[in-house]
Amino acid sequence: MSLKEKVGDILKGNNKEIFNYLVFGVLTTLVNYVSYFGATRWLKINYIVANIIAWFISVVFAYVTNKFWVFEDKSLEIKKLVKEVFMFFAARVMSGGVETLMLFVFVTLLGFDDGVIKIVASVFVVIFNYVVSKFFIFNGEKDCI
């Protein structure tokens, strides 16, 4: 299938994998927000600690949903699972760091609106996370690393 055909399928909504990635991405965001606000508002946990807890819970949720429903990787081999979990968390730490750096540079140093930069940074993070997950983590029998 040519690149033009793939883009056409995506725009027509015919790409189940990308559709599922976006749906579970929204759900992951909800898990993150519910965890964060539950921890800060109901449990009265410090917002930094709450953010770390929410990040961890949402990354675990994202791993499970990406593995089984987005990329339909059904392998439960321990060696493969350990590698996937490590790589998934490492990639999410990296993308979270990039997002935080973008916010710091564009908001703190350059004075842009944080809401706009958060959205722009999120677009880059979503694309980065998808590519890393698709080609390096849940890549079937291929070994890209």
Side-chain angles (χ1 to χ4, degrees), residues 10-139:
I10 291 167
L11 294 176
K12 292 176 191 170
N14 294 337
N15 194 314
K16 178 183 170 189
E17 183 178 281
I18 291 178
F19 176 78
N20 285 345
Y21 185 76
L22 293 173
V23 167
F24 285 112
V26 168
L27 291 174
T28 299
T29 300
L30 289 174
V31 166
N32 184 278
Y33 289 172
V34 168
S35 300
Y36 176 80
F37 289 111
T40 57
R41 303 304 190 271
W42 300 327
L43 301 176
K44 306 297 184 197
I45 294 174
N46 173 278
Y47 73 97
I48 297 293
V49 174
N51 193 53
I52 292 167
I53 292 167
W55 175 87
F56 180 80
I57 292 169
S58 61
V59 170
V60 169
F61 177 83
Y63 172 78
V64 171
T65 58
N66 275 249
K67 178 173 181 59
F68 294 108
W69 290 286
V70 175
F71 299 108
E72 298 181 354
D73 181 345
K74 307 300 185 206
S75 172
L76 295 175
E77 178 190 341
I78 295 299
K79 182 179 175 183
K80 186 174 191 269
L81 284 173
V82 169
K83 178 182 175 185
E84 282 176 357
V85 168
F86 175 78
M87 290 173 58
F88 193 85
F89 271 79
R92 291 315 193 264
V93 166
M94 195 176 354
S95 65
V98 168
E99 181 179 38
T100 302
L101 181 63
M102 287 178 73
L103 285 166
F104 176 75
V105 168
F106 286 99
V107 175
T108 304
L109 299 180
L110 299 176
F112 285 85
D113 178 72
D114 69 308
V116 172
I117 300 305
K118 177 71 172 171
I119 292 168
V120 171
S122 294
V123 170
F124 286 107
V125 166
V126 166
I127 293 168
F128 173 84
N129 286 340
Y130 177 79
V131 169
V132 169
S133 292
K134 170 78 175 167
F135 296 105
F136 297 101
I137 301 171
F138 304 112
N139 61 357

